Amino acid sequence: MNAQLQGALSLAASGLETAAGAALLQTTVLNAWHKTHSGRMVPFGGFEMPVQYTSILEEYTAVRTATGLFDVSHMGIVEVKGADAARFLNRVATHRVDTLAPGDCQVCFLFNDEGDLVDETMIFKLAEDNYRLVVNAGHSGEVIDWFEQVKARDEFSGRQIEVDDLRQARDPKDSRVILALQGPQTLDLLGQVMSDTDYAAIRDMAPLTHREVTVAGVPVGISKTGWSGEKGFEFILHSDNVLPFWSALIDLGIPPIGLGARDQLRLEASLRLRGDDFGGEPKITPGEAGYGNLGFINWNSDFIGREALSRAETVSIRRVVNVVVTGASEGEINPDSARRLPRLGYVVRAKDDDGQWQVVGEIRSSGLSKIWEGYSERGLHIASALLYDRAYARPGQELQIELPRGQFVYARVLPDFFYWNGWGSTVDLTKMRRFLKAAADEADAEAPEAEFSGLEERSSEGITLEQRLALFRSAARTTPFFVIAGGLEANPVVRAFAGLERSVVLHDPRHPESTIVQLAGLGADGFTVLGGLEAADPLLSMAAYAGMEAIVDRSVLAGPRAVIQRIFERMGVPDDLLSVQLPALMGGLEALALQA
């Protein structure tokens, strides 16, 4: 659980929250409803909010298996409109809004001139001159103050830009708040309170898009977004309609979900919390948080703070990872032997080359995860950890976590987004068991048939080059597109690999437009550049013009093996498979290159 919730629960349990203190808290429209329906209220982000109604575990399970309804109306909604709204947002946000179409949503960040995080946000484009930004609870005032400072700069003198906090809108008719419905049964349940036309419209929506529909007789802006790792929707609606809308969904049998379960869900899905896992102190950057290659930052855009952020990302070696507690003894896979939950600030150690445990990080958030079927009925403890050196961030890396009074538990680093069941994704829960099996016996871990397309042979003998590539493709969690640039595209081994791998394009620096055309023909709406940034500059400019999201991997790439390994890492291929198969794959590619 995050630090703010832990503190709120401790305060509530101790009875120290005075009436005067409670009076300073803001309330949502649903505050009275929560209190009359067993909501356990705590201070959070300057608001009095429900942390749970029944139990955190029961509410968490409802969202993972069915559906749950969240009051997130403490979140801020900032409206930016006017003829120069896009020009303004292109400066304050890390994504160019002029590349979005009306009806699109985009996650991005707001930074100040020093490259410090102002907030993370979801931008909703309503029209070319009208945008809404959902910002973190308690930060809408900070965001608006920052926007007003930027508006006052000479570059925006005389520009038509209006900024308003819709949670406390200047005109009551503009007042808007946000609610969320999350879980695998969400779409089916919404069909019970929508017209056939509106239901068909949301059923066919793409992820990260929004539109206006009517749900339960209430006009809402609905988006295929969420913060749970599950399929779901969020609704922006007038504050006067919140209670009837909420009640209509509750009447369908959908349970309300408190902040405690929400925190568990987002942690399990590798979604970072501002202040604990991202931003705040010690100023964790997007790249360090694991967001560096998700298209949230357009480095070709001239956003405020770009240079400072770029410098910070270039020199950084830190990384936030998720870990799962595996036992009370080194090398043990016995979660039931480690019943104490790691807390914020607990010291994390890893073994150095001499086999000595050295401090390498600290715990940032923690919670209980129930997706580890067959290992523990109560669930396993998971946590996010800030590692001071990303050399220890390899999935499967064993870590030691120091508890109070000189006790320890042991944990393994998890792959990013280990659990993700959002739109267009499915979760294979058996991979949780396979991960712990591999951690328990890394040398003898077998490749499961279902994940590796029936190719059980893991040795370096008896598998063709094509079969090795098939192993990697079938094990990949994603299939992004890559552009090889900066001179690496001329390497014969890289060229041999690109001839076999559809998602890899070789960049011709003399004709960057041909690279964009080739990517468009493959159906790519974005790509990662591997190679020199300077050589890729014209390509990035053309990508922005074509509406493609271009990401530059700033890692040092020493040669063809490093390039190919990076590609498979980005695709989410497990490290144990790479370590076994990559050497033989490189040998096959080198032979192929010689034949050419």
Side-chain angles (χ1 to χ4, degrees), residues 1-2 6 55-58 60-61 64 260-269 322-325 335-336 338-343 365-372 376-384:
M1 187 171 291
N2 72 69
Q6 288 176 3
S55 75
I56 290 176
L57 180 57
E58 185 176 323
Y60 156 93
T61 302
R64 281 285 179 255
R262 185 171 183 253
D263 193 54
Q264 304 283 77
L265 294 161
R266 68 92 194 164
L267 176 61
E268 202 169 63
N322 272 15
V323 303
V324 56
V325 175
D336 284 331
R339 292 185 170 272
R340 297 189 62 180
L341 182 68
R343 301 288 187 183
S365 299
S366 58
L368 191 67
S369 171
K370 291 285 287 183
I371 58 177
W372 302 84
S376 174
E377 289 188 6
R378 67 177 176 85
L380 274 63
H381 290 147
I382 61 173
S384 65

Side-chain angles (χ1 to χ4, degrees), residues 72-383:
V72 288
S73 57
H74 59 312
M75 302 288 287
I77 303 179
V78 177
E79 181 180 65
V80 179
K81 64 182 181 180
D84 298 300
R87 179 189 180 108
F88 176 79
L89 288 173
N90 283 343
R91 284 286 282 145
V92 297
T94 60
H95 194 284
R96 291 189 63 88
V97 300
D98 53 4
T99 66
L100 304 177
D104 284 348
C105 312
Q106 177 63 48
V107 178
C108 58
F109 309 112
L110 313 172
F111 288 96
N112 63 20
D113 295 282
E114 290 71 42
D116 296 331
L117 182 71
V118 177
D119 207 359
E120 56 186 326
T121 183
M122 175 80 76
I123 296 181
F124 295 75
K125 185 169 185 173
L126 281 67
E128 296 298 337
D129 60 352
N130 193 355
Y131 301 82
R132 289 174 181 164
L133 288 74
V134 176
V135 298
N136 277 297
H139 291 282
S140 54
E142 181 183 347
V143 170
I144 288 176
D145 287 346
W146 170 240
F147 282 4
E148 293 296 339
Q149 292 178 41
V150 177
K151 277 178 58 182
R153 296 182 178 183
D154 290 345
E155 64 180 299
F156 293 110
S157 176
R159 297 289 181 180
Q160 298 180 37
I161 307 162
E162 297 179 40
V163 178
D164 195 8
D165 181 354
L166 295 189
R167 197 174 54 199
Q168 303 172 358
R170 289 187 289 265
D171 187 337
K173 71 177 176 59
D174 294 330
S175 173
R176 295 291 187 277
V177 295
I178 185 168
L179 304 174
L181 189 65
Q182 302 283 295
Q185 296 179 13
T186 297
L187 185 60
D188 292 339
L189 286 166
L190 281 178
Q192 299 179 33
V193 288
M194 299 182 70
S195 69
D196 291 345
T197 301
D198 279 347
Y199 180 70
I202 69 163
R203 183 190 60 215
D204 297 334
M205 283 172 61
L208 289 175
T209 60
H210 67 94
R211 63 178 59 208
E212 301 294 320
V213 297
T214 298
V215 179
V218 174
V220 300
I222 187 171
S223 59
K224 266 190 174 174
T225 54
W227 212 53
S228 66
E230 293 291 343
K231 298 170 177 65
F233 293 91
E234 292 178 305
F235 311 93
I236 293 179
L237 63 162
H238 195 282
S239 55
D240 289 347
N241 293 329
V242 168
L243 184 57
F245 179 82
W246 177 274
S247 299
L249 295 184
I250 292 291
D251 288 345
L252 292 177
I254 300 172
I257 309 297
L259 293 178
R262 185 171 183 253
D263 193 54
Q264 304 283 77
L265 294 161
R266 68 92 194 164
L267 176 61
E268 202 169 63
S270 302
L271 298 171
R272 307 305 182 199
L273 184 71
R274 186 192 192 276
D276 283 3
D277 312 309
F278 177 46
E281 291 296 338
K283 295 184 179 179
I284 300 171
T285 69
E288 293 170 342
Y291 289 160
N293 292 289
L294 298 182
F296 299 163
I297 299 177
N298 183 339
W299 289 103
N300 201 43
S301 180
D302 186 26
F303 60 85
I304 292 173
R306 183 185 66 172
E307 296 306 318
L309 179 63
S310 178
R311 287 193 298 270
E313 295 281 29
T314 299
V315 302
S316 171
I317 61 171
R318 301 185 305 180
R319 188 66 155 80
V320 176
V321 297
N322 272 15
V323 303
V324 56
V325 175
T326 51
S329 301
E330 181 182 349
E332 178 183 43
I333 304 297
N334 181 17
D336 284 331
S337 70
R339 292 185 170 272
R340 297 189 62 180
L341 182 68
R343 301 288 187 183
L344 175 69
Y346 283 12
V347 170
V348 176
R349 292 183 171 87
K351 279 189 173 180
D352 61 19
D353 292 340
D354 296 325
Q356 302 299 309
W357 291 101
Q358 303 292 342
V359 174
V360 298
E362 62 192 69
I363 297 298
R364 302 301 299 176
S365 299
S366 58
L368 191 67
S369 171
K370 291 285 287 183
I371 58 177
W372 302 84
E373 185 179 304
Y375 273 93
S376 174
E377 289 188 6
R378 67 177 176 85
L380 274 63
H381 290 147
I382 61 173

